[in-house]
mmCIF file with all atom_site columns, all heavy atoms in Angstrom:
data_model
loop_
_atom_site.group_PDB
_atom_site.id
_atom_site.type_symbol
_atom_site.label_atom_id
_atom_site.label_alt_id
_atom_site.label_comp_id
_atom_site.label_asym_id
_atom_site.label_entity_id
_atom_site.label_seq_id
_atom_site.pdbx_PDB_ins_code
_atom_site.Cartn_x
_atom_site.Cartn_y
_atom_site.Cartn_z
_atom_site.occupancy
_atom_site.B_iso_or_equiv
_atom_site.pdbx_formal_charge
_atom_site.auth_seq_id
_atom_site.auth_comp_id
_atom_site.auth_asym_id
_atom_site.auth_atom_id
_atom_site.pdbx_PDB_model_num
ATOM 1   N N   . ILE L 1 392 ? 48.278 19.886 25.864 1.00 95.00 ? 392 ILE L N   1
ATOM 2   C CA  . ILE L 1 392 ? 47.434 18.698 25.975 1.00 95.00 ? 392 ILE L CA  1
ATOM 3   C C   . ILE L 1 392 ? 46.298 18.860 24.978 1.00 95.00 ? 392 ILE L C   1
ATOM 4   O O   . ILE L 1 392 ? 45.560 19.847 25.016 1.00 95.00 ? 392 ILE L O   1
ATOM 5   C CB  . ILE L 1 392 ? 46.897 18.547 27.406 1.00 95.00 ? 392 ILE L CB  1
ATOM 6   C CG1 . ILE L 1 392 ? 48.086 18.303 28.346 1.00 95.00 ? 392 ILE L CG1 1
ATOM 7   C CG2 . ILE L 1 392 ? 45.901 17.398 27.488 1.00 95.00 ? 392 ILE L CG2 1
ATOM 8   C CD1 . ILE L 1 392 ? 47.701 18.356 29.802 1.00 95.00 ? 392 ILE L CD1 1
ATOM 9   N N   . ARG L 1 393 ? 46.229 17.922 24.063 1.00 95.00 ? 393 ARG L N   1
ATOM 10  C CA  . ARG L 1 393 ? 45.238 18.046 22.983 1.00 95.00 ? 393 ARG L CA  1
ATOM 11  C C   . ARG L 1 393 ? 44.419 16.755 22.884 1.00 95.00 ? 393 ARG L C   1
ATOM 12  O O   . ARG L 1 393 ? 44.880 15.693 23.277 1.00 95.00 ? 393 ARG L O   1
ATOM 13  C CB  . ARG L 1 393 ? 45.933 18.273 21.622 1.00 95.00 ? 393 ARG L CB  1
ATOM 14  C CG  . ARG L 1 393 ? 46.939 19.395 21.608 1.00 95.00 ? 393 ARG L CG  1
ATOM 15  C CD  . ARG L 1 393 ? 46.309 20.753 21.673 1.00 95.00 ? 393 ARG L CD  1
ATOM 16  N NE  . ARG L 1 393 ? 45.572 21.091 20.459 1.00 95.00 ? 393 ARG L NE  1
ATOM 17  C CZ  . ARG L 1 393 ? 44.894 22.227 20.297 1.00 95.00 ? 393 ARG L CZ  1
ATOM 18  N NH1 . ARG L 1 393 ? 44.866 23.127 21.277 1.00 95.00 ? 393 ARG L NH1 1
ATOM 19  N NH2 . ARG L 1 393 ? 44.248 22.462 19.176 1.00 95.00 ? 393 ARG L NH2 1
ATOM 20  N N   . ASP L 1 394 ? 43.201 16.872 22.307 1.00 95.00 ? 394 ASP L N   1
ATOM 21  C CA  . ASP L 1 394 ? 42.363 15.693 22.042 1.00 95.00 ? 394 ASP L CA  1
ATOM 22  C C   . ASP L 1 394 ? 42.749 15.134 20.682 1.00 95.00 ? 394 ASP L C   1
ATOM 23  O O   . ASP L 1 394 ? 42.484 15.758 19.658 1.00 95.00 ? 394 ASP L O   1
ATOM 24  C CB  . ASP L 1 394 ? 40.880 16.077 22.019 1.00 95.00 ? 394 ASP L CB  1
ATOM 25  C CG  . ASP L 1 394 ? 40.387 16.477 23.397 1.00 95.00 ? 394 ASP L CG  1
ATOM 26  O OD1 . ASP L 1 394 ? 40.866 15.888 24.378 1.00 95.00 ? 394 ASP L OD1 1
ATOM 27  O OD2 . ASP L 1 394 ? 39.530 17.379 23.476 1.00 95.00 ? 394 ASP L OD2 1
ATOM 28  N N   . VAL L 1 395 ? 43.353 13.967 20.693 1.00 96.00 ? 395 VAL L N   1
ATOM 29  C CA  . VAL L 1 395 ? 43.897 13.426 19.442 1.00 96.00 ? 395 VAL L CA  1
ATOM 30  C C   . VAL L 1 395 ? 43.219 12.093 19.114 1.00 96.00 ? 395 VAL L C   1
ATOM 31  O O   . VAL L 1 395 ? 42.973 11.278 20.003 1.00 96.00 ? 395 VAL L O   1
ATOM 32  C CB  . VAL L 1 395 ? 45.421 13.221 19.546 1.00 96.00 ? 395 VAL L CB  1
ATOM 33  C CG1 . VAL L 1 395 ? 45.967 12.582 18.284 1.00 96.00 ? 395 VAL L CG1 1
ATOM 34  C CG2 . VAL L 1 395 ? 46.102 14.557 19.812 1.00 96.00 ? 395 VAL L CG2 1
ATOM 35  N N   . MET L 1 396 ? 42.935 11.943 17.834 1.00 96.00 ? 396 MET L N   1
ATOM 36  C CA  . MET L 1 396 ? 42.326 10.689 17.384 1.00 96.00 ? 396 MET L CA  1
ATOM 37  C C   . MET L 1 396 ? 43.133 10.132 16.215 1.00 96.00 ? 396 MET L C   1
ATOM 38  O O   . MET L 1 396 ? 43.603 10.895 15.375 1.00 96.00 ? 396 MET L O   1
ATOM 39  C CB  . MET L 1 396 ? 40.886 10.951 16.921 1.00 96.00 ? 396 MET L CB  1
ATOM 40  C CG  . MET L 1 396 ? 40.185 9.724  16.396 1.00 96.00 ? 396 MET L CG  1
ATOM 41  S SD  . MET L 1 396 ? 38.495 10.073 15.846 1.00 96.00 ? 396 MET L SD  1
ATOM 42  C CE  . MET L 1 396 ? 38.809 10.925 14.324 1.00 96.00 ? 396 MET L CE  1
ATOM 43  N N   . HIS L 1 397 ? 43.247 8.827  16.180 1.00 96.00 ? 397 HIS L N   1
ATOM 44  C CA  . HIS L 1 397 ? 43.823 8.193  14.988 1.00 96.00 ? 397 HIS L CA  1
ATOM 45  C C   . HIS L 1 397 ? 42.699 7.896  14.004 1.00 96.00 ? 397 HIS L C   1
ATOM 46  O O   . HIS L 1 397 ? 41.646 7.381  14.395 1.00 96.00 ? 397 HIS L O   1
ATOM 47  C CB  . HIS L 1 397 ? 44.528 6.885  15.350 1.00 96.00 ? 397 HIS L CB  1
ATOM 48  C CG  . HIS L 1 397 ? 45.836 7.111  16.006 1.00 96.00 ? 397 HIS L CG  1
ATOM 49  N ND1 . HIS L 1 397 ? 46.464 6.149  16.753 1.00 96.00 ? 397 HIS L ND1 1
ATOM 50  C CD2 . HIS L 1 397 ? 46.636 8.202  16.042 1.00 96.00 ? 397 HIS L CD2 1
ATOM 51  C CE1 . HIS L 1 397 ? 47.605 6.633  17.215 1.00 96.00 ? 397 HIS L CE1 1
ATOM 52  N NE2 . HIS L 1 397 ? 47.730 7.878  16.803 1.00 96.00 ? 397 HIS L NE2 1
ATOM 53  N N   . LEU L 1 398 ? 42.967 8.236  12.747 1.00 97.00 ? 398 LEU L N   1
ATOM 54  C CA  . LEU L 1 398 ? 41.992 7.973  11.698 1.00 97.00 ? 398 LEU L CA  1
ATOM 55  C C   . LEU L 1 398 ? 42.683 7.065  10.684 1.00 97.00 ? 398 LEU L C   1
ATOM 56  O O   . LEU L 1 398 ? 43.700 7.447  10.111 1.00 97.00 ? 398 LEU L O   1
ATOM 57  C CB  . LEU L 1 398 ? 41.589 9.305  11.057 1.00 97.00 ? 398 LEU L CB  1
ATOM 58  C CG  . LEU L 1 398 ? 40.264 9.393  10.342 1.00 97.00 ? 398 LEU L CG  1
ATOM 59  C CD1 . LEU L 1 398 ? 39.129 8.931  11.233 1.00 97.00 ? 398 LEU L CD1 1
ATOM 60  C CD2 . LEU L 1 398 ? 40.025 10.821 9.885  1.00 97.00 ? 398 LEU L CD2 1
ATOM 61  N N   . GLY L 1 399 ? 42.161 5.876  10.530 1.00 97.00 ? 399 GLY L N   1
ATOM 62  C CA  . GLY L 1 399 ? 42.835 4.904  9.668  1.00 97.00 ? 399 GLY L CA  1
ATOM 63  C C   . GLY L 1 399 ? 42.000 4.544  8.453  1.00 97.00 ? 399 GLY L C   1
ATOM 64  O O   . GLY L 1 399 ? 40.770 4.574  8.501  1.00 97.00 ? 399 GLY L O   1
ATOM 65  N N   . LEU L 1 400 ? 42.692 4.239  7.382  1.00 97.00 ? 400 LEU L N   1
ATOM 66  C CA  . LEU L 1 400 ? 41.992 3.820  6.170  1.00 97.00 ? 400 LEU L CA  1
ATOM 67  C C   . LEU L 1 400 ? 42.556 2.482  5.712  1.00 97.00 ? 400 LEU L C   1
ATOM 68  O O   . LEU L 1 400 ? 43.769 2.340  5.559  1.00 97.00 ? 400 LEU L O   1
ATOM 69  C CB  . LEU L 1 400 ? 42.169 4.867  5.063  1.00 97.00 ? 400 LEU L CB  1
ATOM 70  C CG  . LEU L 1 400 ? 41.296 4.670  3.829  1.00 97.00 ? 400 LEU L CG  1
ATOM 71  C CD1 . LEU L 1 400 ? 39.862 5.102  4.137  1.00 97.00 ? 400 LEU L CD1 1
ATOM 72  C CD2 . LEU L 1 400 ? 41.821 5.461  2.638  1.00 97.00 ? 400 LEU L CD2 1
ATOM 73  N N   . ALA L 1 401 ? 41.688 1.503  5.537  1.00 97.00 ? 401 ALA L N   1
ATOM 74  C CA  . ALA L 1 401 ? 42.084 0.281  4.838  1.00 97.00 ? 401 ALA L CA  1
ATOM 75  C C   . ALA L 1 401 ? 41.544 0.414  3.429  1.00 97.00 ? 401 ALA L C   1
ATOM 76  O O   . ALA L 1 401 ? 40.386 0.789  3.248  1.00 97.00 ? 401 ALA L O   1
ATOM 77  C CB  . ALA L 1 401 ? 41.497 -0.946 5.522  1.00 97.00 ? 401 ALA L CB  1
ATOM 78  N N   . PHE L 1 402 ? 42.379 0.155  2.427  1.00 98.00 ? 402 PHE L N   1
ATOM 79  C CA  . PHE L 1 402 ? 41.917 0.374  1.053  1.00 98.00 ? 402 PHE L CA  1
ATOM 80  C C   . PHE L 1 402 ? 42.361 -0.747 0.124  1.00 98.00 ? 402 PHE L C   1
ATOM 81  O O   . PHE L 1 402 ? 43.323 -1.459 0.387  1.00 98.00 ? 402 PHE L O   1
ATOM 82  C CB  . PHE L 1 402 ? 42.370 1.741  0.537  1.00 98.00 ? 402 PHE L CB  1
ATOM 83  C CG  . PHE L 1 402 ? 43.868 1.947  0.515  1.00 98.00 ? 402 PHE L CG  1
ATOM 84  C CD1 . PHE L 1 402 ? 44.588 1.745  -0.654 1.00 98.00 ? 402 PHE L CD1 1
ATOM 85  C CD2 . PHE L 1 402 ? 44.546 2.347  1.671  1.00 98.00 ? 402 PHE L CD2 1
ATOM 86  C CE1 . PHE L 1 402 ? 45.964 1.940  -0.679 1.00 98.00 ? 402 PHE L CE1 1
ATOM 87  C CE2 . PHE L 1 402 ? 45.920 2.534  1.649  1.00 98.00 ? 402 PHE L CE2 1
ATOM 88  C CZ  . PHE L 1 402 ? 46.630 2.329  0.479  1.00 98.00 ? 402 PHE L CZ  1
ATOM 89  N N   . ASP L 1 403 ? 41.598 -0.870 -0.954 1.00 97.00 ? 403 ASP L N   1
ATOM 90  C CA  . ASP L 1 403 ? 41.868 -1.866 -1.989 1.00 97.00 ? 403 ASP L CA  1
ATOM 91  C C   . ASP L 1 403 ? 42.998 -1.326 -2.865 1.00 97.00 ? 403 ASP L C   1
ATOM 92  O O   . ASP L 1 403 ? 42.792 -0.393 -3.637 1.00 97.00 ? 403 ASP L O   1
ATOM 93  C CB  . ASP L 1 403 ? 40.580 -2.086 -2.799 1.00 97.00 ? 403 ASP L CB  1
ATOM 94  C CG  . ASP L 1 403 ? 40.735 -3.198 -3.822 1.00 97.00 ? 403 ASP L CG  1
ATOM 95  O OD1 . ASP L 1 403 ? 41.886 -3.535 -4.189 1.00 97.00 ? 403 ASP L OD1 1
ATOM 96  O OD2 . ASP L 1 403 ? 39.694 -3.720 -4.272 1.00 97.00 ? 403 ASP L OD2 1
ATOM 97  N N   . HIS L 1 404 ? 44.168 -1.915 -2.744 1.00 97.00 ? 404 HIS L N   1
ATOM 98  C CA  . HIS L 1 404 ? 45.340 -1.373 -3.445 1.00 97.00 ? 404 HIS L CA  1
ATOM 99  C C   . HIS L 1 404 ? 45.243 -1.553 -4.956 1.00 97.00 ? 404 HIS L C   1
ATOM 100 O O   . HIS L 1 404 ? 46.036 -0.988 -5.711 1.00 97.00 ? 404 HIS L O   1
ATOM 101 C CB  . HIS L 1 404 ? 46.616 -2.024 -2.902 1.00 97.00 ? 404 HIS L CB  1
ATOM 102 C CG  . HIS L 1 404 ? 47.811 -1.112 -2.919 1.00 97.00 ? 404 HIS L CG  1
ATOM 103 N ND1 . HIS L 1 404 ? 48.038 -0.201 -3.923 1.00 97.00 ? 404 HIS L ND1 1
ATOM 104 C CD2 . HIS L 1 404 ? 48.833 -0.945 -2.028 1.00 97.00 ? 404 HIS L CD2 1
ATOM 105 C CE1 . HIS L 1 404 ? 49.164 0.456  -3.679 1.00 97.00 ? 404 HIS L CE1 1
ATOM 106 N NE2 . HIS L 1 404 ? 49.652 0.032  -2.524 1.00 97.00 ? 404 HIS L NE2 1
ATOM 107 N N   . ARG L 1 405 ? 44.281 -2.342 -5.408 1.00 96.00 ? 405 ARG L N   1
ATOM 108 C CA  . ARG L 1 405 ? 44.088 -2.440 -6.851 1.00 96.00 ? 405 ARG L CA  1
ATOM 109 C C   . ARG L 1 405 ? 43.421 -1.184 -7.377 1.00 96.00 ? 405 ARG L C   1
ATOM 110 O O   . ARG L 1 405 ? 43.534 -0.835 -8.549 1.00 96.00 ? 405 ARG L O   1
ATOM 111 C CB  . ARG L 1 405 ? 43.186 -3.645 -7.191 1.00 96.00 ? 405 ARG L CB  1
ATOM 112 C CG  . ARG L 1 405 ? 43.762 -4.980 -6.786 1.00 96.00 ? 405 ARG L CG  1
ATOM 113 C CD  . ARG L 1 405 ? 42.720 -6.064 -6.899 1.00 96.00 ? 405 ARG L CD  1
ATOM 114 N NE  . ARG L 1 405 ? 41.545 -5.771 -6.086 1.00 96.00 ? 405 ARG L NE  1
ATOM 115 C CZ  . ARG L 1 405 ? 40.473 -6.549 -6.006 1.00 96.00 ? 405 ARG L CZ  1
ATOM 116 N NH1 . ARG L 1 405 ? 40.412 -7.670 -6.712 1.00 96.00 ? 405 ARG L NH1 1
ATOM 117 N NH2 . ARG L 1 405 ? 39.463 -6.228 -5.244 1.00 96.00 ? 405 ARG L NH2 1
ATOM 118 N N   . VAL L 1 406 ? 42.643 -0.515 -6.518 1.00 97.00 ? 406 VAL L N   1
ATOM 119 C CA  . VAL L 1 406 ? 41.818 0.610  -6.959 1.00 97.00 ? 406 VAL L CA  1
ATOM 120 C C   . VAL L 1 406 ? 42.596 1.922  -6.915 1.00 97.00 ? 406 VAL L C   1
ATOM 121 O O   . VAL L 1 406 ? 42.501 2.744  -7.821 1.00 97.00 ? 406 VAL L O   1
ATOM 122 C CB  . VAL L 1 406 ? 40.538 0.699  -6.099 1.00 97.00 ? 406 VAL L CB  1
ATOM 123 C CG1 . VAL L 1 406 ? 39.698 1.896  -6.497 1.00 97.00 ? 406 VAL L CG1 1
ATOM 124 C CG2 . VAL L 1 406 ? 39.718 -0.579 -6.259 1.00 97.00 ? 406 VAL L CG2 1
ATOM 125 N N   . PHE L 1 407 ? 43.349 2.143  -5.853 1.00 96.00 ? 407 PHE L N   1
ATOM 126 C CA  . PHE L 1 407 ? 44.189 3.344  -5.781 1.00 96.00 ? 407 PHE L CA  1
ATOM 127 C C   . PHE L 1 407 ? 45.378 3.064  -4.873 1.00 96.00 ? 407 PHE L C   1
ATOM 128 O O   . PHE L 1 407 ? 45.471 1.993  -4.265 1.00 96.00 ? 407 PHE L O   1
ATOM 129 C CB  . PHE L 1 407 ? 43.394 4.578  -5.340 1.00 96.00 ? 407 PHE L CB  1
ATOM 130 C CG  . PHE L 1 407 ? 42.693 4.427  -4.017 1.00 96.00 ? 407 PHE L CG  1
ATOM 131 C CD1 . PHE L 1 407 ? 43.327 4.728  -2.820 1.00 96.00 ? 407 PHE L CD1 1
ATOM 132 C CD2 . PHE L 1 407 ? 41.369 3.994  -3.979 1.00 96.00 ? 407 PHE L CD2 1
ATOM 133 C CE1 . PHE L 1 407 ? 42.677 4.600  -1.606 1.00 96.00 ? 407 PHE L CE1 1
ATOM 134 C CE2 . PHE L 1 407 ? 40.714 3.857  -2.763 1.00 96.00 ? 407 PHE L CE2 1
ATOM 135 C CZ  . PHE L 1 407 ? 41.369 4.157  -1.573 1.00 96.00 ? 407 PHE L CZ  1
ATOM 136 N N   . ASP L 1 408 ? 46.278 4.039  -4.782 1.00 96.00 ? 408 ASP L N   1
ATOM 137 C CA  . ASP L 1 408 ? 47.533 3.810  -4.082 1.00 96.00 ? 408 ASP L CA  1
ATOM 138 C C   . ASP L 1 408 ? 47.614 4.641  -2.803 1.00 96.00 ? 408 ASP L C   1
ATOM 139 O O   . ASP L 1 408 ? 46.759 5.480  -2.524 1.00 96.00 ? 408 ASP L O   1
ATOM 140 C CB  . ASP L 1 408 ? 48.698 4.124  -5.020 1.00 96.00 ? 408 ASP L CB  1
ATOM 141 C CG  . ASP L 1 408 ? 48.569 3.330  -6.316 1.00 96.00 ? 408 ASP L CG  1
ATOM 142 O OD1 . ASP L 1 408 ? 48.239 2.140  -6.237 1.00 96.00 ? 408 ASP L OD1 1
ATOM 143 O OD2 . ASP L 1 408 ? 48.751 3.924  -7.396 1.00 96.00 ? 408 ASP L OD2 1
ATOM 144 N N   . GLY L 1 409 ? 48.717 4.431  -2.100 1.00 96.00 ? 409 GLY L N   1
ATOM 145 C CA  . GLY L 1 409 ? 48.902 5.070  -0.804 1.00 96.00 ? 409 GLY L CA  1
ATOM 146 C C   . GLY L 1 409 ? 48.826 6.588  -0.854 1.00 96.00 ? 409 GLY L C   1
ATOM 147 O O   . GLY L 1 409 ? 48.305 7.225  0.069  1.00 96.00 ? 409 GLY L O   1
ATOM 148 N N   . ALA L 1 410 ? 49.320 7.170  -1.934 1.00 96.00 ? 410 ALA L N   1
ATOM 149 C CA  . ALA L 1 410 ? 49.311 8.631  -2.025 1.00 96.00 ? 410 ALA L CA  1
ATOM 150 C C   . ALA L 1 410 ? 47.879 9.152  -1.963 1.00 96.00 ? 410 ALA L C   1
ATOM 151 O O   . ALA L 1 410 ? 47.576 10.109 -1.242 1.00 96.00 ? 410 ALA L O   1
ATOM 152 C CB  . ALA L 1 410 ? 49.976 9.070  -3.329 1.00 96.00 ? 410 ALA L CB  1
ATOM 153 N N   . VAL L 1 411 ? 46.993 8.504  -2.704 1.00 97.00 ? 411 VAL L N   1
ATOM 154 C CA  . VAL L 1 411 ? 45.590 8.920  -2.700 1.00 97.00 ? 411 VAL L CA  1
ATOM 155 C C   . VAL L 1 411 ? 44.992 8.702  -1.316 1.00 97.00 ? 411 VAL L C   1
ATOM 156 O O   . VAL L 1 411 ? 44.285 9.564  -0.778 1.00 97.00 ? 411 VAL L O   1
ATOM 157 C CB  . VAL L 1 411 ? 44.790 8.134  -3.762 1.00 97.00 ? 411 VAL L CB  1
ATOM 158 C CG1 . VAL L 1 411 ? 43.289 8.358  -3.585 1.00 97.00 ? 411 VAL L CG1 1
ATOM 159 C CG2 . VAL L 1 411 ? 45.230 8.538  -5.159 1.00 97.00 ? 411 VAL L CG2 1
ATOM 160 N N   . ALA L 1 412 ? 45.325 7.557  -0.713 1.00 97.00 ? 412 ALA L N   1
ATOM 161 C CA  . ALA L 1 412 ? 44.771 7.234  0.594  1.00 97.00 ? 412 ALA L CA  1
ATOM 162 C C   . ALA L 1 412 ? 45.137 8.319  1.602  1.00 97.00 ? 412 ALA L C   1
ATOM 163 O O   . ALA L 1 412 ? 44.293 8.787  2.374  1.00 97.00 ? 412 ALA L O   1
ATOM 164 C CB  . ALA L 1 412 ? 45.287 5.871  1.064  1.00 97.00 ? 412 ALA L CB  1
ATOM 165 N N   . MET L 1 413 ? 46.395 8.737  1.584  1.00 97.00 ? 413 MET L N   1
ATOM 166 C CA  . MET L 1 413 ? 46.832 9.716  2.572  1.00 97.00 ? 413 MET L CA  1
ATOM 167 C C   . MET L 1 413 ? 46.267 11.097 2.256  1.00 97.00 ? 413 MET L C   1
ATOM 168 O O   . MET L 1 413 ? 45.911 11.853 3.161  1.00 97.00 ? 413 MET L O   1
ATOM 169 C CB  . MET L 1 413 ? 48.366 9.755  2.639  1.00 97.00 ? 413 MET L CB  1
ATOM 170 C CG  . MET L 1 413 ? 48.994 8.454  3.127  1.00 97.00 ? 413 MET L CG  1
ATOM 171 S SD  . MET L 1 413 ? 48.071 7.564  4.409  1.00 97.00 ? 413 MET L SD  1
ATOM 172 C CE  . MET L 1 413 ? 48.324 8.651  5.800  1.00 97.00 ? 413 MET L CE  1
ATOM 173 N N   . ARG L 1 414 ? 46.141 11.428 0.977  1.00 97.00 ? 414 ARG L N   1
ATOM 174 C CA  . ARG L 1 414 ? 45.523 12.722 0.626  1.00 97.00 ? 414 ARG L CA  1
ATOM 175 C C   . ARG L 1 414 ? 44.066 12.736 1.074  1.00 97.00 ? 414 ARG L C   1
ATOM 176 O O   . ARG L 1 414 ? 43.567 13.741 1.566  1.00 97.00 ? 414 ARG L O   1
ATOM 177 C CB  . ARG L 1 414 ? 45.614 12.968 -0.878 1.00 97.00 ? 414 ARG L CB  1
ATOM 178 C CG  . ARG L 1 414 ? 46.912 13.635 -1.259 1.00 97.00 ? 414 ARG L CG  1
ATOM 179 C CD  . ARG L 1 414 ? 46.899 14.004 -2.747 1.00 97.00 ? 414 ARG L CD  1
ATOM 180 N NE  . ARG L 1 414 ? 48.146 13.588 -3.333 1.00 97.00 ? 414 ARG L NE  1
ATOM 181 C CZ  . ARG L 1 414 ? 48.272 12.837 -4.404 1.00 97.00 ? 414 ARG L CZ  1
ATOM 182 N NH1 . ARG L 1 414 ? 47.195 12.413 -5.052 1.00 97.00 ? 414 ARG L NH1 1
ATOM 183 N NH2 . ARG L 1 414 ? 49.450 12.501 -4.857 1.00 97.00 ? 414 ARG L NH2 1
ATOM 184 N N   . PHE L 1 415 ? 43.418 11.592 0.888  1.00 97.00 ? 415 PHE L N   1
ATOM 185 C CA  . PHE L 1 415 ? 42.012 11.478 1.304  1.00 97.00 ? 415 PHE L CA  1
ATOM 186 C C   . PHE L 1 415 ? 41.902 11.683 2.823  1.00 97.00 ? 415 PHE L C   1
ATOM 187 O O   . PHE L 1 415 ? 41.080 12.464 3.313  1.00 97.00 ? 415 PHE L O   1
ATOM 188 C CB  . PHE L 1 415 ? 41.494 10.097 0.889  1.00 97.00 ? 415 PHE L CB  1
ATOM 189 C CG  . PHE L 1 415 ? 40.122 9.764  1.408  1.00 97.00 ? 415 PHE L CG  1
ATOM 190 C CD1 . PHE L 1 415 ? 38.982 10.303 0.816  1.00 97.00 ? 415 PHE L CD1 1
ATOM 191 C CD2 . PHE L 1 415 ? 39.961 8.907  2.489  1.00 97.00 ? 415 PHE L CD2 1
ATOM 192 C CE1 . PHE L 1 415 ? 37.713 9.994  1.301  1.00 97.00 ? 415 PHE L CE1 1
ATOM 193 C CE2 . PHE L 1 415 ? 38.704 8.599  2.977  1.00 97.00 ? 415 PHE L CE2 1
ATOM 194 C CZ  . PHE L 1 415 ? 37.579 9.145  2.371  1.00 97.00 ? 415 PHE L CZ  1
#
Side-chain angles (χ1 to χ4, degrees):
Chain L
I392 296 171
R393 309 288 291 178
D394 291 325
V395 176
M396 178 180 74
H397 284 161
L398 203 53
L400 190 76
F402 60 97
D403 185 340
H404 212 324
R405 298 169 302 179
V406 177
F407 57 88
D408 306 317
V411 169
M413 296 324 289
R414 273 186 227 127
F415 172 77

